[in-house]
Amino acid sequence: MRKTGISVGILLLCLFETGAVPIAQTSAALQPSTLASLSFRTIGPANMSGRIVDIAVVESNTATFYVASATGGLWKTTDNGTTFTPVFQNGSVASLGCVTVSQSNPDLVWLGSGEATNRQSSGWGDGVYKSTDGGRTWTNMGLKDSHHVGRIVLHPTNPDVVYVAALGHLWGSNKERGLFKSTDGGRTWRPSLQIDEDTGVSDVAMDPSDPNTLFAAAHQRRRRAYGFHGGGAGSALYKSADGGDTWKKLTAGLPSGDIGRIGISIFRKDPRVVYASVEQGLRYNASTAYEQRRAGVYRSNDKGETWKLMSDWNPRPTYSSQIRVDPNDDRRIYMVSYSYSDNGGESFVSPRQSLHGDDRMVWIDPHDSRHILKADDGGVGISYDRGLKWLYVTSLPVSQWYHVAVDMRKPYWVYGGLQDNGCWRGPSATYFSSGISNDDWIRTCGGDGFRSLADPNDDRTFYSESQYLGLLRNDSVTNEQRNIRPDQKRGFIRDRRNWATWGKPGAAEPELGNAMAPANWDAPFILSPHDSKTLYAGTNQLWKSTNRGDTWVSLGDMTTGVDRSKLRIMGQIPNETTLSLDDGAPYYPTITEIAESPVRPGLLYVGTDDGNLQVSQDDGRHWASLAKRFPGLPESMWVSGIDASRHNPGTVYVSFDGHRSNDFANYLYRSTDFGSTWTSIAGDMPANRAIHVVHEDPKNPALVYAGTEYGLYLSADGGAHWLELRNNMPRVPVTDLVIHPRDNDLVLATHGRGVWILDDISSLQQLTPQVLTEPAHLFAPRATEEIRYFNPKAHQGDMVFRGANPPAGALVDYYLQGDPGAAVTVTILDAGAKLVARLQAPRTAGLNRVVWNLRFDSLPAAPPDGESGGRSIPLPGPLVVPGEYTVRLTAGTRTDEQKLKVLEDPRMQVSAADRQLWTDSLVAVGDTYRGTVALLDQVNRPGGASSTEIRSVVRELQSRLTTLYRDMSASTGKPTADEQAQMQFFRTELDSLQRRVTR
């Protein structure tokens, strides 16, 4: 018996150590409708806006236009940008490429999904959408495998004729690419121009005087995890004179050899004039430019038959290549990045501007060339002087976050990095009734922002990071920042690569010719959960610092060490002529994810972009490779997420994102033995979600969250079953998430709509199998503070964004298995079991959430009359005294109770006695007010005997009591002498009036 006991003890210890305790199956009973009442709130921000890829303007009414954001949906304004409404945010995809409005019928709008900018962060779509009611409703019209749509052109008088420029898959070959035409409004499509499975069409333009004359830009390109090839033999400019039935390749005066992206613009007043921007050059620096340009801006005066090179100007060609000629001036040309020419493209001016510098497109008003709209990576600009000065739209909350973190102040702040808009930090809540404004946010780094982490033990210190591990240690008081990027003892050149040595083994490096140590565009770093002064950071090597980044020690190269210069893209080895070579991805292989176990110090996991995953159980002294241990996982898959369990040291979760290999399947795994063996937990998650991040819940190990390209998914049974948790959120990629360790809020980083918060997920964590079998269940609410909100803001107009504060009060969550067949009530009782408040309680099956405002029941509204202007507005009840209260749920025959702690506003400095007196006094005034309202209702009844004088006096008493009540409510503490005198006087006056009315 003794021996058996030891064996059982050892078995239990092993189960705990490895995390192999069986997880209950609950998600099978859990449906999206069960959680439908949980509402997220968005806190923005919108001051930096986000990447806008296209704008479509109704030319007959230029105050109406549509704005397509890269991954934040389609927005519409009817007041020239003063306000915007999202009109496409709940479709099946988030990524957009273009938008087109019919000028002959402005209610007809076409939308191309899938960003067309070829970037390493580009999302993908599922074809084209059509609206016939100005954007209110949408129908997918097909071309679902086109993935990226660059342009849609409509026949000017026949809306059934539509042309779609489809680039096709960015990360691999596919058939559905090229130029497609429909003659029946999108019901059917036929290929009009197709080259091959590597070449699509990025742009199409229609002659405004002859809709049968078309120009199309074929574009061959391919992006991989390890690089980018932006052109090839397939890229060319084509012309059709018969509505796309036949095409002619244009060559006269255009560059020979491989070319990259092409942009097209036709001069509206004389369509013989056509401009094209053509990409060609030598030795691309993998960031923005060629060492030698070989093409640029071309002009044709004969409808494209012959061309003349005007200049080699073509900034960031593979990114946009959007050239525009002023519809009223054939010599005025716009290019992006934003620049203009007044001599037909012979020379360009890049003016200083107050907007973002990474531009997507320019629209010029055909009625007034001074009126310009500009779309860029920082939003929308409006100009009335030909683009010299700008109005900036600060109300579009389409920021693209990569990562999110929180600190421990109250209210806690949110930290993170944004695509092309740096790093930011701002409050999750304010004490302002107006909510969270753009001015509440602070920028902490430039460039592309990625991870930002706050020291949980030092409110003054936090870290921020730009691309390629541009790591900073920041001081929140002085706003100073220290560059702590590891491995930069010699400094480095500005360019991302040195062509004197790149791809040339054994070549001698020129003096001071070294590039920076390689790091991923989205390089990881973490703070140790056991010592916040210890950091781990990844280049191709794993680095450790124990003094906040002042010094670093290498723990070794974590990658496979593959030589990227020998990796083929579209069958080609890269060389000096490869167009836009490795744009935005100059380094490979590199580390993408780092995790340290919160349970066991020194238990480290590291993942890379070339599919390597390693574990160390001795803080990096020894490593074991895990890359070959994942069932069903293709080789070289990008490690997108690692989460070490907070419950068991042997449990770890890993996600892989294969979309960079043109593989969009779900790769999600869990190990319970430190990575020795792995089990897929993708379960029944909908196919092809592309998983960006995975997290185990810190309180419930069966609850797992996955952020995907299509939103947030959760499993309540450890990955066997999954459901989407979106509710009021738009369709948007979720790239990171964190659960606040104190407040228990779920905070999401979305890549397109900023930060969203689900306040207090306790009910989600406690929704166990046992709870799901109960007819009704009340969850324990978290302690709640009585915040005194106020509004210090001046008037701001309507071009503003306001982030939402948490609900003002205690969140009360309860579960109903079904309709209880009787009224559901939620009541609040004080310590003496006396009724304090009654809450409106829905009887919907599933989780329900109601908010108690921490007040006694509202005071009744005075009956409307001539003096009140017909208004009847109740007054909120007094705030209760801080202390412990009971929440009681009654559903049918079931009654459940939970304790709730009410806390004082942390800013209040008042004695307990005065605090009690304040509430008691307000309750007394409230009682007098109730009596006065009842009397006012009595004297106002039709046919009553009360005189006009009596009615007037009672109304005046009600008005004065309202003023007294509001004045006393505005300041916590013992009432003033005059307030106490008024309390007594008004009580006496009410008694007198009641006697006079009842005589």
Side-chain angles (χ1 to χ4, degrees), residues 624-653:
S625 176
L626 310 177
K628 304 293 186 181
R629 304 183 183 185
F630 294 88
L633 180 70
E635 291 187 358
S636 304
M637 281 292 174
W638 187 293
V639 179
S640 62
I642 306 175
D643 192 47
S645 173
R646 293 153 184 80
H647 301 276
N648 297 288
T651 297
V652 59
Y653 301 80

PDB file of all heavy atoms in Angstrom, residues 624-653:
ATOM      1  N   ALA A 624      17.857  22.609 -27.279  1.00  0.00           N
ATOM      2  CA  ALA A 624      17.352  21.435 -27.997  1.00  0.00           C
ATOM      3  C   ALA A 624      16.457  21.913 -29.127  1.00  0.00           C
ATOM      4  O   ALA A 624      15.586  22.769 -28.927  1.00  0.00           O
ATOM      5  CB  ALA A 624      16.564  20.532 -27.052  1.00  0.00           C
ATOM      6  N   SER A 625      16.650  21.380 -30.323  1.00  0.00           N
ATOM      7  CA  SER A 625      15.835  21.748 -31.471  1.00  0.00           C
ATOM      8  C   SER A 625      14.514  20.995 -31.449  1.00  0.00           C
ATOM      9  O   SER A 625      14.484  19.785 -31.222  1.00  0.00           O
ATOM     10  CB  SER A 625      16.583  21.458 -32.770  1.00  0.00           C
ATOM     11  OG  SER A 625      15.748  21.730 -33.877  1.00  0.00           O
ATOM     12  N   LEU A 626      13.437  21.713 -31.707  1.00  0.00           N
ATOM     13  CA  LEU A 626      12.104  21.122 -31.706  1.00  0.00           C
ATOM     14  C   LEU A 626      11.458  21.155 -33.084  1.00  0.00           C
ATOM     15  O   LEU A 626      10.317  20.716 -33.252  1.00  0.00           O
ATOM     16  CB  LEU A 626      11.197  21.881 -30.713  1.00  0.00           C
ATOM     17  CG  LEU A 626      11.738  22.108 -29.304  1.00  0.00           C
ATOM     18  CD1 LEU A 626      10.746  22.933 -28.485  1.00  0.00           C
ATOM     19  CD2 LEU A 626      12.024  20.783 -28.619  1.00  0.00           C
ATOM     20  N   ALA A 627      12.158  21.659 -34.086  1.00  0.00           N
ATOM     21  CA  ALA A 627      11.556  21.992 -35.369  1.00  0.00           C
ATOM     22  C   ALA A 627      10.951  20.790 -36.080  1.00  0.00           C
ATOM     23  O   ALA A 627       9.986  20.926 -36.840  1.00  0.00           O
ATOM     24  CB  ALA A 627      12.585  22.677 -36.265  1.00  0.00           C
ATOM     25  N   LYS A 628      11.483  19.614 -35.880  1.00  0.00           N
ATOM     26  CA  LYS A 628      11.019  18.438 -36.614  1.00  0.00           C
ATOM     27  C   LYS A 628       9.943  17.650 -35.865  1.00  0.00           C
ATOM     28  O   LYS A 628       9.574  16.550 -36.291  1.00  0.00           O
ATOM     29  CB  LYS A 628      12.204  17.506 -36.894  1.00  0.00           C
ATOM     30  CG  LYS A 628      13.360  18.154 -37.635  1.00  0.00           C
ATOM     31  CD  LYS A 628      12.975  18.533 -39.054  1.00  0.00           C
ATOM     32  CE  LYS A 628      14.187  19.051 -39.829  1.00  0.00           C
ATOM     33  NZ  LYS A 628      13.824  19.447 -41.207  1.00  0.00           N
ATOM     34  N   ARG A 629       9.431  18.188 -34.787  1.00  0.00           N
ATOM     35  CA  ARG A 629       8.557  17.412 -33.918  1.00  0.00           C
ATOM     36  C   ARG A 629       7.069  17.753 -34.063  1.00  0.00           C
ATOM     37  O   ARG A 629       6.253  17.254 -33.288  1.00  0.00           O
ATOM     38  CB  ARG A 629       8.986  17.590 -32.456  1.00  0.00           C
ATOM     39  CG  ARG A 629      10.449  17.212 -32.223  1.00  0.00           C
ATOM     40  CD  ARG A 629      10.849  17.320 -30.776  1.00  0.00           C
ATOM     41  NE  ARG A 629      12.279  17.025 -30.596  1.00  0.00           N
ATOM     42  CZ  ARG A 629      12.901  16.946 -29.424  1.00  0.00           C
ATOM     43  NH1 ARG A 629      12.199  17.125 -28.311  1.00  0.00           N
ATOM     44  NH2 ARG A 629      14.192  16.690 -29.362  1.00  0.00           N
ATOM     45  N   PHE A 630       6.730  18.587 -35.034  1.00  0.00           N
ATOM     46  CA  PHE A 630       5.344  19.035 -35.160  1.00  0.00           C
ATOM     47  C   PHE A 630       4.634  18.225 -36.235  1.00  0.00           C
ATOM     48  O   PHE A 630       4.989  18.298 -37.413  1.00  0.00           O
ATOM     49  CB  PHE A 630       5.294  20.526 -35.510  1.00  0.00           C
ATOM     50  CG  PHE A 630       5.812  21.411 -34.421  1.00  0.00           C
ATOM     51  CD1 PHE A 630       7.165  21.723 -34.340  1.00  0.00           C
ATOM     52  CD2 PHE A 630       4.959  21.936 -33.471  1.00  0.00           C
ATOM     53  CE1 PHE A 630       7.657  22.539 -33.334  1.00  0.00           C
ATOM     54  CE2 PHE A 630       5.426  22.758 -32.463  1.00  0.00           C
ATOM     55  CZ  PHE A 630       6.776  23.051 -32.389  1.00  0.00           C
ATOM     56  N   PRO A 631       3.641  17.460 -35.877  1.00  0.00           N
ATOM     57  CA  PRO A 631       2.949  16.635 -36.879  1.00  0.00           C
ATOM     58  C   PRO A 631       2.203  17.503 -37.890  1.00  0.00           C
ATOM     59  O   PRO A 631       1.487  18.435 -37.531  1.00  0.00           O
ATOM     60  CB  PRO A 631       1.977  15.798 -36.044  1.00  0.00           C
ATOM     61  CG  PRO A 631       1.788  16.571 -34.771  1.00  0.00           C
ATOM     62  CD  PRO A 631       3.086  17.269 -34.515  1.00  0.00           C
ATOM     63  N   GLY A 632       2.400  17.179 -39.162  1.00  0.00           N
ATOM     64  CA  GLY A 632       1.664  17.862 -40.221  1.00  0.00           C
ATOM     65  C   GLY A 632       2.151  19.246 -40.557  1.00  0.00           C
ATOM     66  O   GLY A 632       1.490  19.960 -41.327  1.00  0.00           O
ATOM     67  N   LEU A 633       3.290  19.649 -40.024  1.00  0.00           N
ATOM     68  CA  LEU A 633       3.784  21.003 -40.268  1.00  0.00           C
ATOM     69  C   LEU A 633       4.787  20.992 -41.420  1.00  0.00           C
ATOM     70  O   LEU A 633       5.804  20.303 -41.340  1.00  0.00           O
ATOM     71  CB  LEU A 633       4.442  21.567 -39.012  1.00  0.00           C
ATOM     72  CG  LEU A 633       5.017  22.991 -39.139  1.00  0.00           C
ATOM     73  CD1 LEU A 633       3.878  23.998 -39.267  1.00  0.00           C
ATOM     74  CD2 LEU A 633       5.895  23.324 -37.930  1.00  0.00           C
ATOM     75  N   PRO A 634       4.550  21.755 -42.489  1.00  0.00           N
ATOM     76  CA  PRO A 634       5.552  21.872 -43.553  1.00  0.00           C
ATOM     77  C   PRO A 634       6.836  22.515 -43.028  1.00  0.00           C
ATOM     78  O   PRO A 634       6.848  23.187 -41.997  1.00  0.00           O
ATOM     79  CB  PRO A 634       4.866  22.768 -44.593  1.00  0.00           C
ATOM     80  CG  PRO A 634       3.404  22.665 -44.287  1.00  0.00           C
ATOM     81  CD  PRO A 634       3.320  22.487 -42.803  1.00  0.00           C
ATOM     82  N   GLU A 635       7.918  22.336 -43.756  1.00  0.00           N
ATOM     83  CA  GLU A 635       9.200  22.873 -43.334  1.00  0.00           C
ATOM     84  C   GLU A 635       9.239  24.389 -43.490  1.00  0.00           C
ATOM     85  O   GLU A 635       8.538  24.976 -44.310  1.00  0.00           O
ATOM     86  CB  GLU A 635      10.334  22.240 -44.150  1.00  0.00           C
ATOM     87  CG  GLU A 635      10.567  20.768 -43.842  1.00  0.00           C
ATOM     88  CD  GLU A 635      11.805  20.237 -44.534  1.00  0.00           C
ATOM     89  OE1 GLU A 635      12.446  21.011 -45.276  1.00  0.00           O
ATOM     90  OE2 GLU A 635      12.134  19.047 -44.335  1.00  0.00           O
ATOM     91  N   SER A 636      10.101  24.975 -42.687  1.00  0.00           N
ATOM     92  CA  SER A 636      10.454  26.407 -42.790  1.00  0.00           C
ATOM     93  C   SER A 636       9.278  27.336 -42.540  1.00  0.00           C
ATOM     94  O   SER A 636       9.233  28.445 -43.079  1.00  0.00           O
ATOM     95  CB  SER A 636      11.074  26.708 -44.157  1.00  0.00           C
ATOM     96  OG  SER A 636      12.199  25.885 -44.394  1.00  0.00           O
ATOM     97  N   MET A 637       8.330  26.927 -41.717  1.00  0.00           N
ATOM     98  CA  MET A 637       7.186  27.781 -41.415  1.00  0.00           C
ATOM     99  C   MET A 637       7.563  28.850 -40.387  1.00  0.00           C
ATOM    100  O   MET A 637       8.213  28.567 -39.382  1.00  0.00           O
ATOM    101  CB  MET A 637       6.025  26.943 -40.883  1.00  0.00           C
ATOM    102  CG  MET A 637       5.251  26.229 -41.965  1.00  0.00           C
ATOM    103  SD  MET A 637       4.359  27.402 -42.990  1.00  0.00           S
ATOM    104  CE  MET A 637       3.706  26.311 -44.243  1.00  0.00           C
ATOM    105  N   TRP A 638       7.107  30.038 -40.620  1.00  0.00           N
ATOM    106  CA  TRP A 638       7.344  31.205 -39.779  1.00  0.00           C
ATOM    107  C   TRP A 638       6.708  30.987 -38.409  1.00  0.00           C
ATOM    108  O   TRP A 638       5.508  30.746 -38.299  1.00  0.00           O
ATOM    109  CB  TRP A 638       6.735  32.419 -40.454  1.00  0.00           C
ATOM    110  CG  TRP A 638       6.976  33.763 -39.861  1.00  0.00           C
ATOM    111  CD1 TRP A 638       6.525  34.226 -38.669  1.00  0.00           C
ATOM    112  CD2 TRP A 638       7.697  34.840 -40.469  1.00  0.00           C
ATOM    113  NE1 TRP A 638       6.902  35.534 -38.481  1.00  0.00           N
ATOM    114  CE2 TRP A 638       7.629  35.939 -39.581  1.00  0.00           C
ATOM    115  CE3 TRP A 638       8.379  34.995 -41.668  1.00  0.00           C
ATOM    116  CZ2 TRP A 638       8.223  37.177 -39.861  1.00  0.00           C
ATOM    117  CZ3 TRP A 638       8.965  36.220 -41.953  1.00  0.00           C
ATOM    118  CH2 TRP A 638       8.894  37.283 -41.058  1.00  0.00           C
ATOM    119  N   VAL A 639       7.502  31.092 -37.345  1.00  0.00           N
ATOM    120  CA  VAL A 639       6.967  30.980 -35.990  1.00  0.00           C
ATOM    121  C   VAL A 639       6.321  32.316 -35.629  1.00  0.00           C
ATOM    122  O   VAL A 639       7.001  33.340 -35.491  1.00  0.00           O
ATOM    123  CB  VAL A 639       8.067  30.622 -34.974  1.00  0.00           C
ATOM    124  CG1 VAL A 639       7.475  30.531 -33.575  1.00  0.00           C
ATOM    125  CG2 VAL A 639       8.727  29.300 -35.356  1.00  0.00           C
ATOM    126  N   SER A 640       4.999  32.319 -35.469  1.00  0.00           N
ATOM    127  CA  SER A 640       4.271  33.574 -35.247  1.00  0.00           C
ATOM    128  C   SER A 640       3.909  33.804 -33.789  1.00  0.00           C
ATOM    129  O   SER A 640       3.619  34.952 -33.406  1.00  0.00           O
ATOM    130  CB  SER A 640       2.994  33.588 -36.094  1.00  0.00           C
ATOM    131  OG  SER A 640       2.126  32.525 -35.720  1.00  0.00           O
ATOM    132  N   GLY A 641       3.919  32.764 -32.969  1.00  0.00           N
ATOM    133  CA  GLY A 641       3.558  32.959 -31.569  1.00  0.00           C
ATOM    134  C   GLY A 641       4.059  31.840 -30.689  1.00  0.00           C
ATOM    135  O   GLY A 641       4.034  30.668 -31.093  1.00  0.00           O
ATOM    136  N   ILE A 642       4.552  32.189 -29.504  1.00  0.00           N
ATOM    137  CA  ILE A 642       4.925  31.215 -28.477  1.00  0.00           C
ATOM    138  C   ILE A 642       4.342  31.707 -27.160  1.00  0.00           C
ATOM    139  O   ILE A 642       4.504  32.879 -26.807  1.00  0.00           O
ATOM    140  CB  ILE A 642       6.454  31.060 -28.329  1.00  0.00           C
ATOM    141  CG1 ILE A 642       7.112  30.724 -29.670  1.00  0.00           C
ATOM    142  CG2 ILE A 642       6.785  29.997 -27.291  1.00  0.00           C
ATOM    143  CD1 ILE A 642       8.635  30.679 -29.596  1.00  0.00           C
ATOM    144  N   ASP A 643       3.671  30.837 -26.441  1.00  0.00           N
ATOM    145  CA  ASP A 643       3.129  31.204 -25.139  1.00  0.00           C
ATOM    146  C   ASP A 643       3.406  30.085 -24.153  1.00  0.00           C
ATOM    147  O   ASP A 643       2.881  28.974 -24.286  1.00  0.00           O
ATOM    148  CB  ASP A 643       1.629  31.469 -25.230  1.00  0.00           C
ATOM    149  CG  ASP A 643       1.090  32.126 -23.967  1.00  0.00           C
ATOM    150  OD1 ASP A 643       1.721  33.092 -23.491  1.00  0.00           O
ATOM    151  OD2 ASP A 643       0.045  31.687 -23.458  1.00  0.00           O
ATOM    152  N   ALA A 644       4.264  30.378 -23.187  1.00  0.00           N
ATOM    153  CA  ALA A 644       4.569  29.415 -22.124  1.00  0.00           C
ATOM    154  C   ALA A 644       3.496  29.511 -21.052  1.00  0.00           C
ATOM    155  O   ALA A 644       3.124  30.607 -20.622  1.00  0.00           O
ATOM    156  CB  ALA A 644       5.948  29.699 -21.538  1.00  0.00           C
ATOM    157  N   SER A 645       3.012  28.367 -20.612  1.00  0.00           N
ATOM    158  CA  SER A 645       1.875  28.315 -19.697  1.00  0.00           C
ATOM    159  C   SER A 645       2.173  29.016 -18.379  1.00  0.00           C
ATOM    160  O   SER A 645       3.278  28.939 -17.839  1.00  0.00           O
ATOM    161  CB  SER A 645       1.499  26.861 -19.429  1.00  0.00           C
ATOM    162  OG  SER A 645       0.504  26.769 -18.437  1.00  0.00           O
ATOM    163  N   ARG A 646       1.151  29.656 -17.845  1.00  0.00           N
ATOM    164  CA  ARG A 646       1.212  30.265 -16.520  1.00  0.00           C
ATOM    165  C   ARG A 646       0.757  29.292 -15.439  1.00  0.00           C
ATOM    166  O   ARG A 646       0.734  29.640 -14.266  1.00  0.00           O
ATOM    167  CB  ARG A 646       0.345  31.525 -16.481  1.00  0.00           C
ATOM    168  CG  ARG A 646       0.882  32.647 -17.364  1.00  0.00           C
ATOM    169  CD  ARG A 646      -0.235  33.564 -17.831  1.00  0.00           C
ATOM    170  NE  ARG A 646       0.267  34.570 -18.747  1.00  0.00           N
ATOM    171  CZ  ARG A 646       0.518  34.369 -20.039  1.00  0.00           C
ATOM    172  NH1 ARG A 646       0.317  33.172 -20.569  1.00  0.00           N
ATOM    173  NH2 ARG A 646       0.974  35.333 -20.809  1.00  0.00           N
ATOM    174  N   HIS A 647       0.374  28.084 -15.855  1.00  0.00           N
ATOM    175  CA  HIS A 647      -0.169  27.107 -14.916  1.00  0.00           C
ATOM    176  C   HIS A 647       0.761  25.925 -14.702  1.00  0.00           C
ATOM    177  O   HIS A 647       0.828  25.394 -13.585  1.00  0.00           O
ATOM    178  CB  HIS A 647      -1.530  26.612 -15.409  1.00  0.00           C
ATOM    179  CG  HIS A 647      -2.545  27.695 -15.572  1.00  0.00           C
ATOM    180  ND1 HIS A 647      -3.303  28.170 -14.541  1.00  0.00           N
ATOM    181  CD2 HIS A 647      -2.905  28.429 -16.664  1.00  0.00           C
ATOM    182  CE1 HIS A 647      -4.105  29.136 -14.966  1.00  0.00           C
ATOM    183  NE2 HIS A 647      -3.887  29.308 -16.265  1.00  0.00           N
ATOM    184  N   ASN A 648       1.432  25.495 -15.751  1.00  0.00           N
ATOM    185  CA  ASN A 648       2.291  24.316 -15.662  1.00  0.00           C
ATOM    186  C   ASN A 648       3.569  24.556 -16.454  1.00  0.00           C
ATOM    187  O   ASN A 648       3.515  24.981 -17.614  1.00  0.00           O
ATOM    188  CB  ASN A 648       1.571  23.086 -16.220  1.00  0.00           C
ATOM    189  CG  ASN A 648       0.326  22.750 -15.421  1.00  0.00           C
ATOM    190  OD1 ASN A 648       0.424  22.282 -14.295  1.00  0.00           O
ATOM    191  ND2 ASN A 648      -0.835  23.006 -16.003  1.00  0.00           N
ATOM    192  N   PRO A 649       4.717  24.287 -15.876  1.00  0.00           N
ATOM    193  CA  PRO A 649       5.978  24.614 -16.545  1.00  0.00           C
ATOM    194  C   PRO A 649       6.212  23.825 -17.820  1.00  0.00           C
ATOM    195  O   PRO A 649       6.912  24.298 -18.719  1.00  0.00           O
ATOM    196  CB  PRO A 649       7.040  24.289 -15.490  1.00  0.00           C
ATOM    197  CG  PRO A 649       6.377  23.354 -14.542  1.00  0.00           C
ATOM    198  CD  PRO A 649       4.935  23.743 -14.519  1.00  0.00           C
ATOM    199  N   GLY A 650       5.643  22.637 -17.941  1.00  0.00           N
ATOM    200  CA  GLY A 650       5.892  21.831 -19.129  1.00  0.00           C
ATOM    201  C   GLY A 650       5.012  22.164 -20.306  1.00  0.00           C
ATOM    202  O   GLY A 650       5.226  21.654 -21.407  1.00  0.00           O
ATOM    203  N   THR A 651       4.015  23.023 -20.117  1.00  0.00           N
ATOM    204  CA  THR A 651       3.058  23.317 -21.179  1.00  0.00           C
ATOM    205  C   THR A 651       3.461  24.573 -21.934  1.00  0.00           C
ATOM    206  O   THR A 651       3.782  25.603 -21.322  1.00  0.00           O
ATOM    207  CB  THR A 651       1.644  23.486 -20.600  1.00  0.00           C
ATOM    208  OG1 THR A 651       1.231  22.244 -20.013  1.00  0.00           O
ATOM    209  CG2 THR A 651       0.649  23.877 -21.682  1.00  0.00           C
ATOM    210  N   VAL A 652       3.410  24.486 -23.263  1.00  0.00           N
ATOM    211  CA  VAL A 652       3.750  25.619 -24.110  1.00  0.00           C
ATOM    212  C   VAL A 652       2.918  25.525 -25.388  1.00  0.00           C
ATOM    213  O   VAL A 652       2.591  24.437 -25.857  1.00  0.00           O
ATOM    214  CB  VAL A 652       5.269  25.641 -24.432  1.00  0.00           C
ATOM    215  CG1 VAL A 652       5.705  24.365 -25.140  1.00  0.00           C
ATOM    216  CG2 VAL A 652       5.646  26.880 -25.216  1.00  0.00           C
ATOM    217  N   TYR A 653       2.560  26.672 -25.924  1.00  0.00           N
ATOM    218  CA  TYR A 653       1.768  26.771 -27.142  1.00  0.00           C
ATOM    219  C   TYR A 653       2.601  27.455 -28.220  1.00  0.00           C
ATOM    220  O   TYR A 653       3.336  28.409 -27.933  1.00  0.00           O
ATOM    221  CB  TYR A 653       0.497  27.591 -26.908  1.00  0.00           C
ATOM    222  CG  TYR A 653      -0.416  27.043 -25.834  1.00  0.00           C
ATOM    223  CD1 TYR A 653      -0.139  27.278 -24.477  1.00  0.00           C
ATOM    224  CD2 TYR A 653      -1.546  26.311 -26.155  1.00  0.00           C
ATOM    225  CE1 TYR A 653      -0.975  26.786 -23.490  1.00  0.00           C
ATOM    226  CE2 TYR A 653      -2.391  25.818 -25.170  1.00  0.00           C
ATOM    227  CZ  TYR A 653      -2.095  26.054 -23.838  1.00  0.00           C
ATOM    228  OH  TYR A 653      -2.921  25.565 -22.864  1.00  0.00           O
TER     229      TYR A 653
END
